[in-house]
Amino acid sequence: MRMFALTAVAGLLAATGSQAAETLDLVGPVSEYKLFVSEQTDLLVEDTEAFVAAVNSGDVEKAKALFAPTRQHYEMIEPIAELFSDLDVAIDSRADDYEKAEADPDFPGFHRIEYGLWEHNSTEGLTPVADQLLANVQDLQGRIESLPFPPEVVVGGAAVLMEEVAATKISGEEDRYSHTDLWDFKGNFDGSQKIVELVKPLIADQDPAFVRQVDANFAVIDTTLAKYEEGEGYVTYDKLTEQDRVKLAAAVNALAEDLSTLRGKLGLD
């Protein structure tokens, strides 16, 4: 785990006017969050190495087993994906983003490999894609230490991600070949909750009702996801009924609505 000096983080939190004092309060939480991102990125690299080794050795079943838990580390840091948007595209884009969809030679990353593993039950032709994926997550790991973490992006990213889950991911469109979406959801929720937990002390006294409501919404989602646990992970998303998905979407929407006000409560709007 890398250590980041608070003074270095403080330099990234420049503020003016009435927001200055509130922003300075965020130095500690943002520093702690950066440590969290660093830890998750280190785990992402470690697990991606094993995942890529399985792909390159032609071990389809092992690669399938490693796919979801490896991705979960990436999903946990997705609230700040806009800070490394070029790598986000390379690591996590979907076939819809490319002219020829799955057949497009430029379709990269986790989802290109997912397509090969589940749709073709094969690792044929995936070695270059897997090697580039590993290079990209290693690049991300190298960037974290010097990457600015603007507090408005960190705090706002939690709400934006919940909105994305509710608007698009809940349909199952992200992990459309493997149906491992619940792993992603868990990563997204845990990553967003980490941000909330770190800034919560700054608003707990002034708005305790809001804090209780957000905690309750996270608890509803945790309870809902727990229903679908299987072994060390989750059932495939295609096993959920439409009613299950509607209920999950309602909980995520409620959480997204609450988190959309968090930046304002911290004086970051």
Side-chain angles (χ1 to χ4, degrees):
M1 178 177 69
R2 301 184 183 87
M3 297 301 296
F4 302 97
L6 287 177
T7 53
V9 179
L12 304 175
L13 304 180
T16 58
S18 62
Q19 293 183 0
E22 291 171 335
T23 302
L24 288 175
D25 287 339
L26 286 163
V27 172
V30 171
S31 177
E32 287 298 314
Y33 181 66
K34 192 166 187 178
L35 288 172
F36 168 79
V37 170
S38 178
E39 290 168 350
Q40 291 303 317
T41 306
D42 289 347
L43 291 170
L44 173 65
V45 170
E46 181 181 336
D47 285 2
T48 302
E49 289 172 347
F51 174 63
V52 167
V55 171
N56 289 349
S57 69
D59 192 335
V60 172
E61 293 309 310
K62 184 175 182 180
K64 285 182 176 180
L66 294 175
F67 175 78
T70 298
R71 276 181 51 76
Q72 197 170 48
H73 298 300
Y74 187 78
E75 297 297 314
M76 290 181 76
I77 66 171
E78 200 171 10
I80 57 160
E82 71 172 88
L83 298 179
F84 44 85
S85 57
D86 59 326
L87 288 177
D88 186 46
V89 170
I91 292 169
D92 200 38
S93 59
R94 298 156 203 174
D96 305 339
D97 300 322
Y98 300 89
E99 183 179 357
K100 298 179 181 178
E102 288 88 353
D104 200 306
D106 292 330
F107 177 32
F110 276 117
H111 294 302
R112 172 64 185 89
I113 298 172
E114 177 196 10
Y115 171 70
L117 292 175
W118 271 271
E119 293 298 304
H120 297 286
N121 201 41
S122 172
T123 61
E124 184 178 354
L126 293 181
T127 292
V129 182
D131 288 343
Q132 187 59 55
L133 172 64
L134 179 56
N136 288 331
V137 298
Q138 289 171 334
D139 186 1
L140 177 59
Q141 182 185 41
R143 290 189 194 185
I144 294 300
E145 183 170 359
S146 60
L147 191 69
F149 274 50
E152 66 274 11
V153 173
V154 172
V155 175
V160 169
L161 183 56
M162 291 302 96
E163 290 167 1
E164 181 187 352
V165 172
T168 62
K169 291 190 177 190
I170 210 77
S171 69
E173 56 89 28
E174 180 159 14
D175 297 314
R176 64 191 68 173
Y177 319 112
S178 64
H179 305 298
T180 55
D181 304 81
L182 292 177
W183 290 79
D184 284 10
F185 295 169
K186 178 62 173 173
N188 290 161
F189 299 141
D190 285 354
S192 295
Q193 190 171 22
K194 181 66 175 181
I195 295 170
V196 173
E197 288 298 317
L198 289 172
V199 302
K200 191 164 62 173
L202 302 180
I203 58 174
D205 290 338
Q206 67 192 53
D207 201 342
F210 172 78
V211 169
R212 287 194 298 271
Q213 184 167 304
V214 170
D215 286 347
N217 283 333
F218 272 117
V220 168
I221 290 174
D222 284 340
T223 300
T224 302
L225 285 181
K227 290 169 50 180
Y228 309 114
E229 289 177 353
E230 183 177 75
E232 296 183 359
Y234 296 91
V235 301
T236 54
Y237 197 54
D238 53 338
K239 292 182 179 178
L240 272 66
T241 66
E242 184 60 29
Q243 185 177 6
D244 290 333
R245 297 187 187 199
V246 169
K247 183 177 180 180
L248 183 57
V252 178
N253 272 314
L255 182 60
E257 185 174 343
D258 287 341
L259 295 188
S260 68
T261 68
L262 191 54
R263 277 179 38 152
K265 292 179 184 296
L266 291 165
L268 295 170
D269 283 343

